[in-house]
Amino acid sequence: MLKSFIFMISLTTVTGLVEAKSSTDASTKNISFTPPNVEVLSNKINMNDLKTCAETQPKCASALGVFYLYGKGVEQNYQTAFEYFSFAAKHDVGNAYFHLGIMHKDGVITGKNDFIQAFEAFSSGDSLGDRPSQIFLASAYET
């Protein structure tokens, strides 16, 4: 029980404390956003435990999607990240919508930028109170 509690606190750090920022880090390839602490947390979280949790817990699925999206702690795989974020989004996890929006905006799902899908994803995240979604949505209105 204590291990599960500590594990969930670690996930909260991944899923709840993400700040929106632009990134030009070449290690993230085509992704325009990299959440802070992903590198550090990927070394501290047992990925097998996270994968098990992600099978039934949407917040775990969203957290695991972050690791797949940025290739931290696991091999980078956009399709797998998309599947985990989609599962979490179906269960109203706000930051899953945010990362789906990033994936659509940067064109890593279909190979081309899809700003309409990105806008819809950010809007869904915004309606759930996800701050990074709100920031990206606001930036769409600025341009």
Side-chain angles (χ1 to χ4, degrees), residues 87-98:
F87 169 74
K90 288 178 185 173
H91 293 86
D92 293 332
V93 176
N95 77 334
Y97 282 110
F98 168 72

Side-chain angles (χ1 to χ4, degrees), residues 48-61:
N48 290 327
D49 288 347
L50 184 56
K51 288 175 184 178
T52 300
C53 181
E55 292 173 8
T56 58
Q57 301 298 316
K59 287 185 179 181
C60 292

